[in-house]
Structure formats: structure tokens, C-alpha cells
Amino acid sequence: MRATDDGDRFLDNDLEALLDRKWIFYEKASGPVTDVTITRVGLDVAEEFEHYRSDPRKRAQAARSSVLQWLYDEYLQGSNSPNISRFSTSTYGAFYGSEFTEGEIVQATRHLRDQQLIQGKAAMGGPIVRPQISPYGIQRIEHEDKPAAVVASERASVTYNYHFNNDGPVNLANNSPGAQQSITLTTTQINDARMATSAFSQTLPILGIPEERQAEAKQVITELEEETTAAAPQPGRLKSLLNKVVELAVLGTAEGAVGAVISLAEKAIEGL
């Protein structure tokens, strides 16, 4: 099959998905689609998406993360101090298709240097021209994507605290009356759950989850935010809520965003 045939097939699939969501309208025919009309709902979604990807706060956070990840990839390829101009043409140089501006790159590199995640000298009023990821920056990236052995070791570090109401000798068994067991999660476990929650919350408007499940998704987000900020988050409840995130996310039509959310949720689940 020719590349153009693949492109046509992917376009047809995308149009079908948009039609099913009632974001566009066109008459189905045996030949190629030639006339497509965006609906009011589609316009609302497009405006919401544009608002999302142009939000200065989200873009600033994304720029920092993208620059650091780009530098890590360059480091792995043996390029320790790449020219920052190469960042814009890399796969990390845009936020949902909207390229990072020079000002955003300047702010990102200077912030990363202030946080000691990268090293290098800045041009007058410009970015770090030849940034180098620091050992701390490498640790930060690898901490976010830890090998299974590290995850397993952190699971072993969970501490169990038992509180007894009895003054005399106690025989402890699971679910014993008069005994309370609490599990203290590691900072990494809680942060992974928070990252998954944040990703689900921020991308919910563009995921394409059916309208009838939107309220359920928002409720899951609320409960996750409450649980991850609780004094003693419960791993069982977190796992249940994160599984719900996966269940809802797979219903979405925005494949890239859906994949990212599911990946973060599954990572958090695996670590609990």
C-alpha cells in the first residue's frame, strides 16, 4: 500500500471519529469526502483546545519539562552541550502542535538552571546557549521513569504502623478488632498518583470522553485530589481510582493525550 493510501485511510478514520463525536458534519459517500462543516459543538471543542494549549501557565510547565527531556536524550546520544537552537526543531519543541516561543525557551532554561537541573551560561537577555543537563537533572528524569527493580525496592520501604486500644497482651490477626493498621506511602508513590491525576484533569477537555461519562470523570478527579492530599492516603483507594482513570481514558478519541494519561495512571498503579 502506498504512503498516500495510508494517509487517506488515517484521514478517513479521523473524520469518522469527529463525525461520531458530532464535532463535524458531512455526507457519507463512496468516494473521498470533499465538503466538511464544523458544528457548534466542534467549534466549542476547538476553542477549548486552543485555550488549553495557549495557557501561559501550562506552556511554561511544559517548556521546562520538554527542555529537560530533550537534554537528557541528547546526553544519552553523547551530545553533552547541544546548541539550544536545536531544541525548537526537535520532537520536544512544541506544545500540542504550537511551537514554544523564544521567550518561553529563555524562561525555561533559566528556571532549570536556577533549580540546578541544567548548567551553562546565558546570552545577554537570551537562553542558556549550550545547556548541559546536570547530575541532578539526570536523576530527576530517571526518577520519573524508574526501572522495575527500583520500584520494587520502594514498595519494600512502605512502613506499617499499628495502634492498639488494648492495654494487655494482643494476638494480632488481619482485621482484628481494636487494632488499626495504616500504610505510609512513599513520596514517589504519592507524586506518581498526583501526576496521573493532574494529567487526567488538564487533558479532560480534549480527551474526547463521551459526554455522558464526563461527570463521572470529574468526580474521579475530585476524589483523587482529595486522596492524594490526605494526611494518610490509602493505597487501595488510590489504586481503585486510578484504575477508573484508565477505564474512562480509553473511551477518549484523542489518541496522543489518551495514551499519555493511561501511561501515567498505569505507572502510578504499578508503584502502589
Side-chain angles (χ1 to χ4, degrees):
M1 180 178 288
R2 296 175 304 169
T4 53
D5 293 335
D6 282 337
D8 291 342
R9 179 166 56 85
F10 293 143
L11 176 60
D12 289 342
N13 290 339
D14 289 343
L15 288 173
E16 288 254 4
L18 294 175
L19 182 65
D20 290 341
R21 297 290 301 153
K22 296 183 172 59
W23 292 351
I24 62 172
F25 174 78
Y26 61 88
E27 295 287 350
K28 290 189 175 182
S30 57
V33 178
T34 58
D35 189 10
V36 178
T37 302
I38 188 170
T39 65
R40 180 66 258 176
V41 175
L43 281 172
D44 289 343
V45 171
E47 290 172 1
E48 192 167 8
F49 173 72
E50 186 57 34
H51 175 74
Y52 175 84
R53 74 172 186 168
S54 62
D55 185 295
R57 183 173 181 177
K58 292 182 175 62
R59 290 184 63 86
Q61 294 171 336
R64 297 168 195 162
S65 176
S66 296
V67 169
L68 190 61
Q69 184 63 64
W70 170 69
L71 282 173
Y72 180 72
D73 285 0
E74 291 287 314
Y75 159 78
L76 291 180
Q77 295 170 21
S79 179
N80 290 328
S81 299
N83 193 304
I84 191 63
S85 62
R86 287 165 46 190
F87 168 71
S88 297
T89 58
S90 73
T91 57
Y92 298 102
F95 181 59
Y96 287 98
S98 176
E99 293 184 359
F100 291 114
T101 66
E102 183 177 351
E104 289 171 332
I105 296 172
V106 169
Q107 289 182 337
T109 55
R110 288 173 177 260
H111 176 85
L112 291 170
R113 187 179 64 174
D114 290 344
Q115 295 297 312
Q116 299 181 345
L117 294 168
I118 69 173
Q119 302 164 345
K121 295 182 179 180
M124 184 66 69
I128 312 298
V129 180
R130 286 193 170 275
Q132 179 179 8
I133 190 169
S134 69
Y136 180 50
I138 293 172
Q139 182 183 32
R140 170 71 67 86
I141 290 292
E142 294 179 346
H143 181 73
E144 294 174 353
D145 188 20
K146 297 179 294 299
V150 177
V151 174
S153 68
E154 289 188 342
R155 285 180 184 171
S157 69
V158 173
T159 58
Y160 297 85
N161 301 312
Y162 299 93
H163 304 279
F164 303 101
N165 297 327
N166 308 64
D167 292 329
V170 175
N171 293 320
L172 179 62
N174 285 339
N175 302 317
S176 295
Q180 296 179 335
Q181 176 184 346
S182 64
I183 300 177
T184 304
L185 298 177
T186 65
T187 301
T188 297
Q189 289 171 311
I190 297 173
N191 284 341
D192 283 350
R194 286 175 179 166
M195 286 179 63
T197 303
S198 177
F200 189 42
S201 175
Q202 292 179 9
T203 60
L204 183 58
I206 62 169
L207 283 177
I209 293 175
E211 186 65 31
E212 62 271 17
R213 304 294 295 272
Q214 289 284 323
E216 183 181 359
K218 292 176 181 177
Q219 181 61 34
V220 169
I221 291 169
T222 298
E223 293 182 20
L224 269 169
E225 288 174 343
E226 291 174 352
E227 193 63 35
T228 54
T229 55
Q234 298 301 306
R237 178 162 173 72
L238 279 178
K239 186 173 290 188
S240 175
L241 290 168
L242 288 166
N243 277 317
K244 200 68 179 177
V245 169
V246 175
E247 175 187 328
L248 291 165
V250 295
L251 301 176
T253 55
E255 294 184 4
V258 166
V261 169
I262 291 176
S263 176
L264 287 170
E266 289 181 338
K267 177 186 174 186
I269 292 168
E270 182 183 353
L272 291 172

